[in-house]
Amino acid sequence: MTEQNKKQEDLSAVIAELEAKCAELPNNVIAHHHLALVYRKAGRTADALRELHKCLELDDHSIEAYINLGAFYFEQGELDKALAVNQKAIAVLPTLAQAHANLGLIWQQKGEAEKAIAAYQEAVQHDPKMITAWVNMATAHIMAGEFDLAEKAAREGIKLNPDFAMAHNNLAVALFYQKQPEKALAAAEKAQALGYPVDPRFLTAIRQELA
């Protein structure tokens, strides 16, 4: 038996166990939520969505179900549904940083930079150590042409995790548009060294500024 087949068999066994648990305890939100997550891992999207909706039928304050349902919709490109679900999560728990950060990503995908920035700012207000919110905020500031603020946000991300490659890339972009090509190149090369796929055209543009 291959390793892949073994993992699939183990996953099937877990699914069978959780399905039995849900049949035994049909009103248990935790059981349905665990089953949804395992369905998702198995690639059974429709089943996972059904279970997440079941969680919310049983408990419309289930934060975990809202967050995972929003992630599903976001991955499928259903941004309006993802937006609505995360807004419901925030209505239940206004200080939920992850939901605010998720709204930032959704607004960013919609091209609404200012709304994205506001959402990220709300996220880091509730969780100042949320690195992804700082780094994505830098991206949104770049979209808005606010390069000094983008630099500050990227540096906050780097302060929290010096090896966060995307933060260095965003810092490079912010510095480049602030006419600081030497610093931009150093940040871009750092991002590249950490494994970030820096756009070769961007590197070329920086080097042309330095020529």
Side-chain angles (χ1 to χ4, degrees):
M1 179 183 294
T2 67
E3 184 67 24
Q4 183 61 35
N5 287 341
K6 179 68 167 60
K7 287 181 180 178
Q8 193 62 42
E9 187 176 286
D10 290 345
L11 201 55
S12 297
V14 172
I15 288 173
E17 182 181 338
L18 286 170
E19 286 175 336
K21 190 72 173 179
C22 288
E24 178 188 349
L25 301 170
N27 296 323
N28 188 301
V29 176
I30 294 174
H32 285 286
H33 188 252
H34 285 170
L35 180 56
L37 296 181
V38 179
Y39 276 147
R40 183 180 184 183
K41 189 173 182 180
R44 294 172 59 175
T45 302
D47 290 329
L49 286 172
R50 184 193 67 240
E51 290 302 314
L52 288 171
H53 282 294
K54 179 66 175 178
C55 291
L56 293 171
E57 287 174 18
L58 295 170
D59 179 9
D60 62 2
H61 281 56
S62 178
I63 294 298
E64 295 84 358
Y66 281 123
I67 292 297
N68 281 295
L69 185 58
F72 260 113
Y73 286 139
F74 184 80
E75 289 168 5
Q76 293 173 349
E78 298 186 73
L79 299 182
D80 289 333
K81 288 183 178 180
L83 187 69
V85 169
N86 280 284
Q87 287 171 333
K88 287 180 180 178
I90 290 168
V92 173
L93 184 60
T95 59
L96 187 61
Q98 186 60 62
H100 288 289
N102 290 348
L103 287 183
L105 277 175
I106 294 164
W107 287 121
Q108 201 169 306
Q109 285 292 310
K110 284 174 164 283
E112 298 276 2
E114 294 302 333
K115 289 182 179 179
I117 291 165
Y120 291 133
Q121 288 173 335
E122 190 75 23
V124 297
Q125 179 181 330
H126 300 303
D127 183 2
K129 294 185 178 181
M130 182 177 276
I131 300 170
T132 53
W134 283 112
V135 176
N136 287 326
M137 190 194 303
T139 302
H141 278 305
I142 290 167
M143 288 173 61
E146 299 166 346
F147 304 118
D148 56 335
L149 296 176
E151 178 188 349
K152 290 178 182 178
R155 289 193 186 281
E156 286 294 331
I158 292 168
K159 189 187 303 180
L160 290 166
N161 182 357
D163 293 331
F164 199 115
M166 185 178 173
H168 289 281
N169 181 75
N170 287 357
L171 176 60
V173 175
L175 291 169
F176 176 77
Y177 283 110
Q178 291 183 86
K179 308 300 183 185
Q180 299 182 55
E182 297 91 349
K183 292 181 180 180
L185 182 60
E189 288 178 341
K190 177 69 172 178
Q192 201 169 41
L194 290 169
Y196 191 85
V198 178
D199 190 330
R201 294 169 299 178
F202 177 50
L203 290 169
T204 298
I206 299 174
R207 290 180 176 126
Q208 285 175 344
E209 287 293 315
L210 291 169

